[in-house]
């Protein structure tokens, strides 16, 4: 792999090399990405990735908003698994405020985050299948993403950009309909996932298109600061849930799947196995909830947890407190904290510097897609254009997380 930045020097009109703008609106790029490639026939000679087409300055906007008003911004990072972003941010603020969370809240969060991980991996692996020509697998498994969204909708009233939860827990407890839908998903999804694997995992065409394509060594992956399924597919056993447990992940028994070659096929296998492990975690969380007090869905932090709406509508003191919390009028400690969670694409981190004011003094989002994408152009050198498209799909780059 050539890690030098490519420089286009061929200006000869008689040259057989072709400069191709792959994106930012090409349907094969699945998002707002641009790669300026030099092609020798169908083979990529060199390329440069450019980003910034939907840059929204989220970090700077967040530095002018109180903590609660930042949650909707995190939704719009990796919007394929936005609840993980929401809860990662809430945990960062809870670390700043030194809030101790009840176990039941941790377990409820784990259920939502693992459902989000499954939804994220469904998108990535079905799109890999789609880009190799397997539309059937894409359409078949994608319906279960819809079932996950129905669970989110039951919990918080939203589907994609969920704004789910609060600093200190959830806005309301999970109702029986939510648990019924979760249990239904736990029963039906394994059957579909197994059928999905039967269609693709030993499929000769799929293997020929993915095995040995875009191989990445563990040294190169670490050099580019990869995390998540991409890093694990390259053979590095690193998962934030295990390395630095949060939300009581240390209470759960699960395995971290690790690949060997780092190629597209290994990334597919790692994400598939992670879905099985997520199901295993959710099942354990359901069992653990039975031993916890019912009806507890937030920590006892009245200075930062919004009062119930019914009280806000009928009680002036509750209305005042609601206003003070939302507008950031309650002092928070002067401190510097970093908190990371295992997002769908890797380590999603929040680096917060607070100076005691209404808003963060500085806030930086560590977006795994932004870090992972930097390797796309150099690793594409010498690759066929059709393989580079599948490689991009297997990296699961989400534009909202890339251009925050």
């Amino acid at each position: 792999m050539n890690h030098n930045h490519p420089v286009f020097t061929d200006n000869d009109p008689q040259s057989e090399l072709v400069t191709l703008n792959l994106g930012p609106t090409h349907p094969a790029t699945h998002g707002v990405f641009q790669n300026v490639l030099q092609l020798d026939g169908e083979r990529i000679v060199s390329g440069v990735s450019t980003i910034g087409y939907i840059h929204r300055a989220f970090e700077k906007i967040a530095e002018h908003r109180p903590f609660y008003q930042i949650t909707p911004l995190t939704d719009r990072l990796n919007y394929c698994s936005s609840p993980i972003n929401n809860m990662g941010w809430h945990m960062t603020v809870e670390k700043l405020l030194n809030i101790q969370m009840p176990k039941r809240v941790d377990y409820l969060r784990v259920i939502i985050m693992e459902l989000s991980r499954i939804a994220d991996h469904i998108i990535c692996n079905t799109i890999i299948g789609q880009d190799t020509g397997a539309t059937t697998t894409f359409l078949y498994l994608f319906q279960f993403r819809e079932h996950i969204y129905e669970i989110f909708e039951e919990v918080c009233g939203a589907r994609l950009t969920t704004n789910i939860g609060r600093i200190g827990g959830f806005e309301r407890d999970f109702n029986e309909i939510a648990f019924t839908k979760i249990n239904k998903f736990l029963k039906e999804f394994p059957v579909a996932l197994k059928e999905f694997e039967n269609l693709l995992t030993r499929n000769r065409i799929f293997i020929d298109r993915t095995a040995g394509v875009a191989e990445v060594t563990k040294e190169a992956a670490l050099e580019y600061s990869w995390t998540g399924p991409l890093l694990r597919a390259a053979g590095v056993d690193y998962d934030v849930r295990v390395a630095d447990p949060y939300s009581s992940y240390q209470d759960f028994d699960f395995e971290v799947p690790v690949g060997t070659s780092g190629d597209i096929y290994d990334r597919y296998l790692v994400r598939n196995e992670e879905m099985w492990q997520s199901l295993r975690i959710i099942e354990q969380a359901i069992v653990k909830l039975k031993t916890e007090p019912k009806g507890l869905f937030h920590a006892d932090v009245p200075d930062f947890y919004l009062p119930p709406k019914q009280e806000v509508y009928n009680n002036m003191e509750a209305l005042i407190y609601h206003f003070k919390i939302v507008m950031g009028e309650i002092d928070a400690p002067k401190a510097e904290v970093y908190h990371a969670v295992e997002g769908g694409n890797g380590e999603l981190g929040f680096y917060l510097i607070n100076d005691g004011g209404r808003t963060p003094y500085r806030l930086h989002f560590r977006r795994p897609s932004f870090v992972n994408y930097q390797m796309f152009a150099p690793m594409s050198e010498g690759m066929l254009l059709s393989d580079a498209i599948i490689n991009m799909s297997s990296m699961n780059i989400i534009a909202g997380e890339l251009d925050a």
Side-chain angles (χ1 to χ4, degrees):
M1 183 183 296
N2 182 1
H3 296 280
N4 297 323
H5 292 290
V7 178
F8 298 152
T9 57
D10 194 316
N11 295 315
D12 182 0
Q14 303 301 317
S15 170
E16 293 186 0
L17 296 181
V18 174
T19 301
L20 175 70
N21 236 339
L22 183 63
T25 56
H26 194 290
T29 58
H30 300 303
V32 192
F33 318 123
Q34 183 193 39
N35 292 278
V36 184
L37 307 176
Q38 272 204 327
L39 301 176
D40 180 3
E42 286 289 313
R43 196 166 296 278
I44 298 170
V45 176
S46 58
V48 173
S49 296
T50 59
I51 60 171
Y53 287 97
I54 58 168
H55 180 63
R56 296 159 292 178
F58 276 174
E59 290 168 341
K60 285 299 160 192
I61 294 172
E63 288 167 10
H64 293 83
R65 288 190 175 188
F67 298 140
Y68 260 111
Q69 296 183 24
I70 293 170
T71 307
L73 298 178
T74 66
D75 270 318
R76 288 149 179 83
L77 296 174
N78 182 353
Y79 38 74
C80 296
S81 49
S82 55
I84 298 178
N85 313 339
N86 298 159
M87 293 177 195
W89 167 243
H90 293 154
M91 288 180 220
T92 304
V93 179
E94 288 158 8
K95 182 179 282 189
L96 171 72
L97 303 174
N98 197 27
I99 297 173
Q100 298 301 312
M101 301 302 298
K103 284 286 186 182
R104 188 171 191 274
V105 174
D106 281 350
Y107 298 153
L108 291 174
R109 282 179 168 176
V110 164
I111 290 172
I112 293 297
M113 287 188 287
E114 293 308 315
L115 285 171
S116 302
R117 193 177 322 281
I118 292 172
D120 201 288
H121 289 354
I122 285 174
I123 294 168
C124 183
N125 273 5
T126 57
I127 290 296
I128 295 173
Q130 171 68 40
D131 283 349
T132 60
T135 302
T136 300
T137 55
F138 168 76
L139 295 174
Y140 177 59
L141 200 64
F142 220 71
Q143 63 183 308
F144 287 90
R145 176 175 175 253
E146 178 70 16
H147 297 333
I148 292 172
Y149 283 176
E150 288 174 1
I151 295 170
F152 293 166
E153 196 169 21
E154 194 60 47
V155 171
C156 70
R159 296 161 53 81
L160 186 71
T161 48
T162 55
N163 196 23
I164 196 170
R166 286 184 176 169
I167 296 163
F170 287 91
E171 183 267 334
R172 69 189 76 176
D173 199 0
F174 289 21
N175 61 29
E176 287 305 315
I177 298 174
F179 282 115
T180 300
K181 289 186 175 182
I182 292 168
N183 289 326
K184 184 172 184 284
F185 180 83
L186 290 175
K187 181 180 179 181
E188 295 178 355
F189 182 65
V191 177
L193 182 57
K194 184 62 180 175
E195 290 178 328
F196 175 77
E197 290 180 330
N198 289 343
L199 286 166
L200 281 185
T201 303
R202 301 307 303 163
N203 184 298
R204 188 70 259 168
I205 298 172
F206 184 76
I207 293 173
D208 287 346
R209 292 299 312 276
T210 57
V213 179
E215 289 184 328
V216 176
T217 65
K218 63 173 67 175
E219 292 77 17
L222 290 168
E223 190 178 314
Y224 273 83
S225 298
W226 272 13
T227 54
L230 295 181
L231 179 66
R232 293 189 284 274
V236 180
D237 185 0
Y238 175 74
D239 188 309
V240 181
R241 295 171 295 176
V242 176
D244 189 12
Y246 55 91
S247 198
S248 297
Y249 268 107
Q250 67 275 9
D251 297 350
F252 293 86
D253 179 29
F254 65 99
E255 296 171 14
V256 178
V258 178
T260 53
S261 67
D263 61 7
I264 296 172
Y265 189 64
D266 267 14
R267 297 171 202 168
Y268 158 84
L269 291 176
V270 163
R271 284 192 175 92
N272 260 7
E273 182 55 33
E274 284 191 7
M275 286 192 273
W276 287 111
Q277 295 301 321
S278 290
L279 289 168
R280 184 177 167 192
I281 292 170
I282 295 168
E283 287 170 350
Q284 292 176 59
I286 294 290
V287 172
K288 291 179 185 296
L289 284 173
K290 294 177 181 177
T291 63
E292 296 298 320
K294 288 187 177 181
L296 184 63
F297 54 92
H298 65 87
D300 184 19
V301 279
D303 283 351
F304 290 93
Y305 183 83
L306 293 170
K309 275 289 187 287
Q310 199 60 33
E311 289 185 23
V312 173
Y313 293 149
N314 296 284
N315 184 299
M316 177 55 74
E317 190 173 292
L319 176 63
I320 292 170
Y321 239 83
H322 184 281
F323 180 84
K324 286 167 68 73
I325 293 171
V326 170
M327 298 310 293
E329 292 188 0
I330 299 174
D331 291 338
K334 293 182 180 180
E336 194 171 320
V337 299
Y338 176 78
H339 183 73
V341 296
E342 183 65 36
N345 289 326
E347 182 176 329
L348 172 66
F350 301 87
Y351 177 49
L352 169 64
I353 302 176
N354 194 56
D355 62 356
R358 289 188 174 195
T359 61
Y361 174 70
R362 286 289 182 269
L363 180 60
H364 174 64
F365 303 140
R366 187 206 184 274
R367 295 112 53 205
S369 284
F370 177 76
V371 178
N372 296 345
Y373 190 57
Q374 296 173 74
M375 197 173 179
F376 178 73
M379 73 189 292
S380 295
E381 293 174 29
M383 192 180 291
L384 290 173
L385 179 60
S386 57
D387 290 340
I389 296 296
I390 306 175
N391 181 30
M392 182 181 290
S393 298
S394 73
M395 294 176 76
N396 197 35
I397 306 300
I398 308 299
E401 197 174 72
L402 179 72
D403 288 345

